[in-house]
Amino acid sequence: MKRSLSILLAGMLLVLVVAISGCTDTNMEIAGTEETRTDELIAAIGTHGGEPESGFNPITGWGYNHEPLIQSTLFKKDSNGALINDLATGYSVSEDGFTWTVTIRNDVKFHDGEPLKTEDVAFTFNTAADASGSVDLSMLEKATATDEYTVEFKLKDNQATFINKLAVIGIVPEHAYDENYGQNPIGSGPYEFVQWDKGQQVILEANPDYYGDEPYFKKLTIVFMQADTAFAAAKSGQIDLAEIPASYANQEVDGMKIVALESIDARGISFPMQPDTGEISGDGYTIGNDVTSDIAIRKALNIGIDRQALVDGALNGQGEEEFTGVDKLPYGNKEAILEDGNIEEAKKILSDAGWEDTDGDGIVEKDGVKAEFTLLYAASAQERQALAVAVSEEAKELGINIIPEGASWDKIDTLALSTPVVFGYGSLDPTDLYLKYYSESYDLSSYNNIIMYNNPVVDSYLRAAITSSDQDVANENWQMAAWDGETGFSPKGDATWMWMATIDYLYIMDEDLDIGTPKIQPHGADIFGNILEWKRTEN
């Protein structure tokens, strides 16, 4: 039960003034506060896509991996990750896997009152495929509205995981779509777009014609704040809900509670697999790293680093250790997980491969090359910085010198083919696994196979998995791609990455806010994924 927008902005300004002045009295009263309706919610959710550069446009990525709020999708995932209908009433797949047929409901209107038609569905997917946005639709040849209830999708590649694409792209109206759509979006979702004050907030209101369950919260204001500022605003009573860093897990605030949501969002270090031979990418970037291209370095780090220590220290206990990037998922391979924190075994691996400290500086070397490299992380991501620093400290015991460096993504993009990076991944769509390790999927712009991995055996498993309509067969092949007893992308095989942990997402919220049963949290979080279950318990 928070304040009006003008009061909110005044409070935000006060928080900024307090920070600049150095005042630490965060319990001070905000002048002019007033009560508003209980069915309004103000939230600072930085990872719910953050503030999208191109606006609230599903074609360019808005809503990917999280509830788009403004638009509807054909399907959704429930709190257990199972597929359920949204706009769709059902679907079928041809025997060869190249033709998908989806039927949709006929009682849906866009926010401007126009009916949602199958032509809008086909238009959305064809436009998204041409745009090459955040959702990989390279397998789609064409979507066609065959009648008023049916859309047919023709594929170039019989990827059984295509079903996941139908659950992440919000449908846009063909009649109202242009280059400015993201600035003033129209959809058919539970909330209507009202106002976007760039750099500050977006305001949404409940859709009175929504075909699904009626939202409890009639107005939703999402403010764009850094985590520390959001926490201060929550403490001062300006917002109902804020995402906060792991370092605040043990904070206590009167009238508020801290909720930790488990996720499948993994943090891992990419290891460029190619040596530096002077090769340059088509974008003009250096390819290869003479240290990480040595499997002994990669295996030593995977075996020698204590992941639980990283979770306890860098993440303040808010997460779980991770070994393959998909440990928690149905297609994760438990046989690919190894015992880590074994410093002596790690040192032996290095020594056996010819890495020795011959000059006594504590860093091993081989053929004149020091075992050292820069580790990049997004400068704005606190947990990535903490992990990078913690890994560098542990690596010293192995004789490996890791130099953490925060940078912008623009800079990281120019270095990622030659320099390890702390990345985050986490999706219920196994296509992401395919794009990460399949040799022909390399695409720097999408970070696909950023390490330039090439293992024909792994490729064969990945192809078998992504084209299989039998989920059990698919999962078996996904698992063998990680480790089949002899090879794989996991630490027991080629040790392509060093996955460290899956993070918990922490939120501070009003004590009377009931958020139901949250969905499993993907990369970037999906706190509003079950927004229709939310309510205040005092009413």
Side-chain angles (χ1 to χ4, degrees), residues 234-345:
K235 287 183 67 176
S236 64
Q238 297 304 303
I239 56 180
D240 305 281
L241 169 70
E243 182 183 340
I244 58 175
S247 57
Y248 291 160
N250 300 318
Q251 294 280 338
E252 293 185 6
V253 178
D254 289 343
M256 306 197 85
K257 59 187 176 183
I258 291 180
V259 175
L261 300 183
E262 185 179 345
S263 83
I264 56 170
D265 192 359
R267 296 291 178 267
I269 298 173
S270 61
F271 289 137
M273 301 284 287
Q274 309 299 321
D276 182 1
T277 62
E279 184 180 357
I280 302 296
S281 74
D283 299 308
Y285 307 140
T286 299
I287 294 174
N289 186 299
D290 288 335
V291 178
T292 62
S293 60
D294 191 317
I295 191 172
I297 294 288
R298 304 195 303 269
K299 279 188 170 289
L301 287 169
N302 267 286
I303 290 174
I305 298 298
D306 186 336
R307 290 165 175 80
Q308 190 58 53
L310 297 180
V311 171
D312 294 340
L315 299 181
N316 197 25
Q318 302 303 308
E320 297 180 50
E321 54 185 3
E322 179 72 29
F323 293 85
T324 69
V326 291
D327 292 355
K328 295 180 180 180
L329 294 165
Y331 40 90
N333 186 350
K334 298 190 185 308
E335 297 300 318
I337 296 174
L338 47 70
E339 290 290 331
D340 66 354
N342 190 333
I343 295 174
E344 293 309 312
E345 176 64 19

Side-chain angles (χ1 to χ4, degrees), residues 387-435:
L387 286 167
V389 171
V391 165
S392 70
E393 289 299 316
E394 287 199 38
K396 289 178 182 178
E397 296 188 58
L398 310 179
I400 299 175
N401 184 33
I402 297 177
I403 306 159
E405 180 183 324
S408 67
W409 281 111
D410 285 342
K411 180 177 180 179
I412 291 173
D413 288 347
T414 69
L415 299 170
L417 298 179
S418 61
T419 309
V421 179
V422 179
F423 278 110
Y425 285 102
S427 171
L428 293 172
D429 182 356
T431 307
D432 283 6
L433 197 63
Y434 179 84
L435 296 174

Side-chain angles (χ1 to χ4, degrees), residues 137-463:
L137 286 174
S138 58
M139 77 299 294
L140 177 63
E141 180 176 324
K142 187 177 182 182
T144 305
T146 57
D147 61 41
E148 60 181 322
Y149 303 111
T150 311
V151 183
E152 183 178 87
F153 298 88
K154 288 283 189 181
L155 305 188
K156 305 172 188 175
D157 188 19
N158 59 333
Q159 296 186 13
T161 56
F162 180 67
I163 186 63
N164 294 285
K165 313 305 178 189
L166 304 180
V168 298
I169 300 179
I171 305 304
V172 302
E174 183 176 10
H175 68 272
Y177 187 85
D178 58 25
E179 66 275 8
N180 298 314
Y181 172 83
Q183 315 301 311
N184 191 23
I186 295 171
S188 58
Y191 285 91
E192 295 183 21
F193 174 87
V194 175
Q195 178 180 329
W196 180 17
D197 301 311
K198 293 185 179 181
Q200 298 180 7
Q201 66 192 347
V202 62
I203 300 173
L204 309 175
E205 291 183 353
N207 174 11
D209 297 321
Y210 185 55
Y211 53 89
D213 294 336
E214 181 181 356
Y216 172 91
F217 289 102
K218 305 306 179 190
K219 182 178 180 181
L220 179 61
T221 301
I222 302 174
V223 295
F224 305 117
M225 292 179 171
Q226 294 296 321
D228 291 335
T229 307
F231 181 71
K235 287 183 67 176
S236 64
Q238 297 304 303
I239 56 180
D240 305 281
L241 169 70
E243 182 183 340
I244 58 175
S247 57
Y248 291 160
N250 300 318
Q251 294 280 338
E252 293 185 6
V253 178
D254 289 343
M256 306 197 85
K257 59 187 176 183
I258 291 180
V259 175
L261 300 183
E262 185 179 345
S263 83
I264 56 170
D265 192 359
R267 296 291 178 267
I269 298 173
S270 61
F271 289 137
M273 301 284 287
Q274 309 299 321
D276 182 1
T277 62
E279 184 180 357
I280 302 296
S281 74
D283 299 308
Y285 307 140
T286 299
I287 294 174
N289 186 299
D290 288 335
V291 178
T292 62
S293 60
D294 191 317
I295 191 172
I297 294 288
R298 304 195 303 269
K299 279 188 170 289
L301 287 169
N302 267 286
I303 290 174
I305 298 298
D306 186 336
R307 290 165 175 80
Q308 190 58 53
L310 297 180
V311 171
D312 294 340
L315 299 181
N316 197 25
Q318 302 303 308
E320 297 180 50
E321 54 185 3
E322 179 72 29
F323 293 85
T324 69
V326 291
D327 292 355
K328 295 180 180 180
L329 294 165
Y331 40 90
N333 186 350
K334 298 190 185 308
E335 297 300 318
I337 296 174
L338 47 70
E339 290 290 331
D340 66 354
N342 190 333
I343 295 174
E344 293 309 312
E345 176 64 19
K347 287 182 175 179
K348 183 176 186 304
I349 289 172
L350 291 171
S351 179
D352 289 348
W355 291 92
E356 298 286 351
D357 179 12
T358 59
D359 58 9
D361 66 351
I363 305 173
V364 297
E365 63 265 351
K366 178 181 178 180
D367 298 331
V369 176
K370 289 282 189 182
E372 62 183 11
F373 56 82
T374 297
L375 176 57
L376 298 169
Y377 61 87
S380 59
Q382 295 182 22
E383 92 288 345
R384 299 190 195 197
Q385 177 185 27
L387 286 167
V389 171
V391 165
S392 70
E393 289 299 316
E394 287 199 38
K396 289 178 182 178
E397 296 188 58
L398 310 179
I400 299 175
N401 184 33
I402 297 177
I403 306 159
E405 180 183 324
S408 67
W409 281 111
D410 285 342
K411 180 177 180 179
I412 291 173
D413 288 347
T414 69
L415 299 170
L417 298 179
S418 61
T419 309
V421 179
V422 179
F423 278 110
Y425 285 102
S427 171
L428 293 172
D429 182 356
T431 307
D432 283 6
L433 197 63
Y434 179 84
L435 296 174
K436 195 175 282 87
Y437 297 110
Y438 187 60
S439 62
E440 296 181 24
S441 67
Y442 162 72
D443 181 358
L444 177 60
S445 65
S446 303
Y447 305 116
N448 295 340
N449 195 11
I450 195 75
I451 59 175
M452 294 187 166
Y453 182 45
N454 188 345
N455 182 326
V457 175
V458 171
D459 276 356
S460 67
Y461 290 135
L462 294 174
R463 284 299 301 168

